[in-house]
Amino acid sequence: MIKLQDVYKEYTIGDSLLEILQNINLEIKKGEFISIIGPSGSGKSTLMYMMGLLDIPTKGKVLMNDVDTSKLSDEKLSRLRNEKIGFVFQQFNLINKFTVLENILLPTLYNPHTLDYDPQIKAITLLKRFGLDHRTHSYPNKISGGEQQRAAIARALILEPEIIFADEPTGNLDTKTGETILSLLEDLNKKEKITIVIVTHEAHIAEKTKRSISIQDGKIIK
Amino acid sequence: MKYYIFTILSATTNFRRNKLRTFLTSLGILIGVASVVLLISLGLGLKQYITDQFKGLGSNLIFIYPGKFLQGNSFRPGGGMLGGAEFDKSDVDSLKKSRYIAYVSPAFIKTIEISTTNKTEIGDLLASTEDVFPVLNLKMQYGRSYKKTDVDKRNKVIVIGPELAKKLFDDFEGALGEDIKIEDQRYKIIGISEAKGGGGLGGSNFDSFVYMPYTAGLSFNPDKKFFALYVSAKSEDVYELAKRDIQRILERRYESGDFSVLEQTDLLNVINSVFGAINTVLVMIGAISLIVGGIGIMNIMYVSVVERTKEIGIRRAVGATRNNILIQFLTEAVLLSLIGGIGGIIISIVFVLLINSYFPAQINILSIIIAFVVSTLIGIIFGVVPARKAANMSPIEAIRYE
Ligand SMILES: Nc1ncnc2c1ncn2[C@@H]1O[C@H](COP(=O)(O)OP(=O)(O)O)[C@@H](O)[C@H]1O
Ligand SMILES: [Mg+2]
């Protein structure tokens, strides 16, 4: 599904060269449930954005379904993010001036195709499934963290993606709420065969996934 | 389609959340558009009013003024005011000898006080000969106009315009035969002219004039000099010949630079070039306020882009292209400018309707359309730089922004 070949990410700040990621080679297969673990500042988020086509490497290649994405225009990359990729963030990243329903439907705004389902009905179904029906017309800053994260997952699912990247999805939640979010993601992997990548610095979360990649100082160590 | 509707709705959501800011930002455009539309309405109304006044005059008219009015085809500012010929009755007589000329009406015009036993009004005196009535195409509503014998015998008789009659007398017909006092002299009203229409620009329309034989008003004009001569050619066919005759006759007495022989179209050209100059100034004032308004929009759009960095990151993550972001912020800038533009149009329409009964203002559809287009353009021109800043933001930096 996603393959990284000799990927580097560097920033120059003043005279010094910061090597955030070095010589990354990895492959994520379709249907995998995988975690990327490493201490804070090790480059996990940077790696995830690279795989999620939000960022481009300084050197090396990111292939999605065997297509070299470095050659693609902003238009094409955006289309891939829109149709094939879903993001879940630690900060939930919902837009507070829009209702929960409007947030969930946001990706459909940028989708030029006519879908073979009604996204409005799909959104309502997801809200029911995640126990958010009573929050449909609420604003994100008026609901709990767990509810916001479930809304964010619903947004990631609205265009039926192939892969979901979750960056510290439980980082802002208490343990119990975190557990439900994790099992929700696990469920999506099992029942809907969606590839799930979880980024975390907590070992007990990484243990729940079938495969785990360890990263330290921008390098894969295991 | 859905995309554009949502983009517009999304922009209005932002306006609703920042009502005061939206209002203040669009205020610059509002003032600019309102002042331009309003001033153009006033200018056009005034021009229409003056043009209408000319249209009410008799046909085949030729105007003779002292001084040089025109240079080529354009107006020479102040030309008429600087000395030149001083016309008198002998000019009238020699012009009347031309076989192409039907009437010659000399004009002495002065603002005067007119009193009845219990009222005093300000009016404009037009002292002339009996030819003034055919030349100005002036018909009587009541009574009669003054005749050649009235002029020859210096009869103290006058014809007054209906508007002045209305002001001086409650009973219109009762005014006939009444005595009236103009600067210590008594005159008898022998006729009231028909209304010629037009707005109410003070006293300078024909409906509030006092028409008097020039011989009867010598106390106001002891030198018997005239400010202008209005000539009527015998027919359209001899119009040019009449003009040439006038030129020839007057050149026997005056330098050719000391008088101007003008057609109605020449006068309309003079009016047009005066209003052209006024309009240029108005458009410049408007342009400056629109530019200031546009800078206000650009400023607020920059603030808005920075405030919404995170939102831009989120939209990019879920699939918005650079273009989508550009369009989003451009739409917002254009709407902001249009709010000001529409507000300005509404305010100027309301204002024109309010003053319409006192001043001949005219709402011009073209100026409204132009205001609309200009506001849109201002939005695009001043919105595009901040919108590009938003579109070119790196998605990850935007999403990491706190
Ligand atoms: N735009 C940037 N310029 C310079 N350094 C950056 C930039 N973005 C991230 N970094 C640095 O890269 C390192 C890895 O960041 P990140 O991927 O967020 O780590 P993690 O998610 O593992 O905590 C950090 O040291 C961070 O300061
Ligand atoms: Mg991180």
Side-chain angles (χ1 to χ4, degrees):
Chain A
M1 156 108 246
I2 287 183
K3 210 186 277 178
L4 272 65
Q5 292 176 345
D6 305 322
V7 165
Y8 287 77
K9 184 69 187 182
E10 297 161 352
Y11 288 107
T12 33
I13 293 183
D15 294 337
S16 59
L17 182 77
L18 293 178
E19 298 196 294
I20 309 298
L21 292 175
Q22 296 172 52
N23 195 31
I24 304 287
N25 285 285
L26 70 84
E27 181 173 5
I28 291 162
K29 296 219 169 63
K30 210 170 167 57
E32 266 198 286
F33 189 46
I34 184 171
S35 62
I36 295 170
I37 185 164
S40 184
S42 56
K44 307 182 294 294
S45 294
T46 308
L47 177 60
M48 187 196 96
Y49 292 139
M50 212 81 71
M51 294 192 287
L53 310 184
L54 269 173
D55 199 1
I56 43 171
T58 317
K59 277 187 283 186
K61 278 184 187 167
V62 177
L63 289 89
M64 185 168 192
N65 296 332
D66 298 320
V67 176
D68 181 1
T69 60
S70 65
K71 304 240 165 23
L72 299 180
S73 63
D74 173 66
E75 199 101 0
K76 293 242 166 65
L77 289 172
S78 301
R79 182 73 55 79
L80 285 175
R81 288 199 298 274
N82 185 237
E83 290 173 351
K84 305 226 184 294
I85 300 168
F87 289 100
V88 175
F89 301 94
Q90 179 175 358
Q91 322 285 352
F92 320 130
N93 283 352
L94 298 165
I95 299 174
N96 282 329
K97 68 188 169 200
F98 298 140
T99 63
V100 166
L101 180 65
E102 286 165 344
N103 267 285
I104 293 171
L105 288 170
L106 188 65
T108 65
L109 186 63
Y110 300 114
N111 190 287
H113 301 301
T114 32
L115 304 165
D116 56 6
Y117 55 89
D118 180 351
Q120 192 89 18
I121 292 170
K122 170 110 183 160
I124 302 284
T125 313
L126 286 167
L127 283 163
K128 274 212 188 87
R129 176 171 162 195
F130 295 165
L132 287 173
D133 8 2
H134 62 302
R135 298 301 196 199
T136 308
H137 301 292
S138 302
Y139 288 92
N141 50 358
K142 299 267 160 35
I143 62 177
S144 74
E147 286 171 329
Q148 286 188 62
Q149 198 60 304
R150 278 177 279 159
I153 294 171
R155 178 180 65 190
L157 289 170
I158 191 74
L159 288 176
E160 307 191 329
E162 291 178 14
I163 184 164
I164 288 179
F165 292 102
D167 191 357
E168 313 260 12
T170 63
N172 274 13
L173 302 173
D174 59 74
T175 322
K176 198 163 161 280
T177 316
E179 297 279 317
T180 62
I181 293 296
L182 280 179
S183 55
L184 211 155
L185 291 171
E186 207 172 347
D187 215 41
L188 291 172
N189 175 257
K190 258 192 213 134
K191 292 194 182 135
E192 287 166 45
K193 307 289 174 236
I194 300 172
T195 314
I196 308 269
V197 180
I198 295 175
V199 169
T200 182
H201 65 276
E202 293 175 279
H204 72 272
I205 292 172
E207 277 162 16
K208 292 204 157 62
T209 61
K210 288 175 196 142
R211 178 156 80 108
S212 190
I213 293 169
S214 291
I215 179 168
Q216 204 160 18
D217 298 329
K219 286 178 223 147
I220 292 177
I221 53 169
K222 199 179 77 189
Chain B
M1 196 60 213
K2 180 192 73 173
Y3 169 71
Y4 292 104
I5 291 171
F6 195 84
T7 305
I8 289 170
L9 287 180
S10 162
T12 56
T13 306
N14 291 320
F15 297 156
R16 254 181 286 122
R17 287 163 61 89
N18 293 303
K19 285 195 192 75
L20 186 63
R21 183 204 273 190
T22 305
F23 170 71
L24 291 175
T25 308
S26 53
L27 201 57
I29 302 292
L30 186 145
I31 291 169
V33 165
S35 56
V36 174
V37 173
L38 204 55
L39 293 172
I40 287 177
S41 300
L42 299 184
L44 281 178
L46 196 56
K47 186 174 156 185
Q48 187 65 47
Y49 173 84
I50 293 172
T51 313
D52 285 349
Q53 292 269 304
F54 272 103
K55 285 203 184 118
L57 298 175
S59 51
N60 304 322
L61 275 189
I62 301 163
F63 303 84
I64 307 167
Y65 293 105
K68 197 94 190 124
F69 258 104
L70 290 179
Q71 209 154 46
N73 222 357
S74 67
F75 177 58
R76 207 164 65 95
M81 337 275 145
L82 303 169
E86 290 189 300
F87 305 116
D88 59 24
K89 183 62 165 61
S90 70
D91 295 316
V92 176
D93 291 337
S94 38
L95 287 174
K96 281 200 99 162
K97 284 190 190 123
S98 162
R99 56 199 173 105
Y100 305 121
I101 289 173
Y103 304 105
V104 179
S105 160
F108 172 77
I109 294 174
K110 187 177 193 287
T111 303
I112 46 157
E113 264 187 15
I114 311 135
S115 322
T116 63
T117 40
N118 50 17
K119 260 187 209 160
T120 298
E121 288 288 342
I122 301 291
D124 284 307
L125 171 70
L126 174 53
S128 186
T129 64
E130 72 282 0
D131 280 5
V132 72
F133 300 105
V135 164
L136 295 183
N137 192 23
L138 212 61
K139 306 265 184 332
M140 291 303 119
Q141 192 176 358
Y142 298 107
R144 64 170 182 94
S145 57
Y146 62 78
K147 301 286 183 293
K148 186 170 188 317
T149 50
D150 294 310
V151 179
D152 291 346
K153 290 183 177 158
R154 305 182 175 190
N155 287 340
K156 291 194 178 299
V157 291
I158 55 168
V159 168
I160 61 175
E163 216 150 283
L164 186 63
K166 221 178 287 171
K167 279 188 205 159
L168 288 170
F169 302 97
D170 305 321
D171 170 21
F172 230 62
E173 269 169 287
L176 275 186
E178 285 292 314
D179 270 0
I180 223 173
K181 231 165 85 179
I182 300 174
E183 309 203 343
D184 293 335
Q185 305 264 341
R186 293 203 157 272
Y187 294 87
K188 189 188 280 297
I189 300 172
I190 56 167
I192 295 170
S193 60
E194 261 179 17
K196 275 196 164 264
L201 249 195
S204 49
N205 84 53
F206 293 119
D207 294 347
S208 49
F209 263 93
V210 174
Y211 304 91
M212 175 193 289
Y214 78 100
T215 50
L218 291 183
S219 63
F220 324 124
N221 183 19
D223 302 337
K224 293 196 252 181
K225 296 292 184 193
F226 299 115
F227 143 79
L229 302 172
Y230 306 140
V231 176
S232 216
K234 275 197 174 134
S235 74
E236 212 180 318
D237 299 335
V238 299
Y239 189 79
E240 282 306 317
L241 291 171
K243 263 181 82 178
R244 224 174 296 160
D245 252 10
I246 293 168
Q247 194 74 33
R248 188 176 51 79
I249 292 166
L250 291 179
E251 272 179 21
R252 289 202 295 244
R253 212 179 152 195
Y254 307 105
E255 293 290 324
S256 68
D258 283 347
F259 64 91
S260 303
V261 180
L262 306 176
E263 300 177 16
Q264 224 153 319
T265 49
D266 291 329
L267 285 183
L268 289 178
N269 281 345
V270 170
I271 294 166
N272 277 337
S273 57
V274 170
F275 279 103
I278 295 173
N279 267 346
T280 310
V281 174
L282 297 185
V283 166
M284 269 161 55
I285 294 171
I288 291 169
S289 47
L290 286 175
I291 288 170
V292 172
I295 291 171
I297 288 180
M298 183 156 77
N299 197 28
I300 279 303
M301 288 311 295
Y302 266 122
V303 172
S304 180
V305 168
V306 172
E307 279 176 352
R308 283 149 66 196
T309 301
K310 188 99 185 173
E311 177 190 325
I312 294 166
I314 295 169
R315 285 176 185 263
R316 295 280 274 140
V318 301
T321 61
R322 282 202 193 104
N323 248 334
N324 292 142
I325 302 294
L326 185 85
I327 287 170
Q328 183 195 336
F329 282 92
L330 214 46
T331 304
E332 223 171 289
V334 168
L335 285 179
L336 205 48
S337 183
L338 271 180
I339 289 173
I342 292 169
I345 289 169
I346 291 173
I347 284 179
S348 41
I349 289 176
V350 169
F351 198 81
V352 165
L353 292 178
L354 282 179
I355 62 164
N356 215 271
S357 37
Y358 311 103
F359 194 90
Q362 250 184 20
I363 280 289
N364 177 265
I365 297 296
L366 190 67
S367 73
I368 289 177
I369 293 170
I370 290 173
F372 221 82
V373 172
V374 166
S375 325
T376 309
L377 285 179
I378 292 276
I380 293 174
I381 291 167
F382 289 93
V384 76
V385 182
R388 286 185 60 140
K389 181 187 154 95
N392 290 334
M393 261 181 200
S394 135
I396 46 153
E397 269 166 44
I399 212 147
R400 279 184 199 262
Y401 186 88
E402 286 313 320

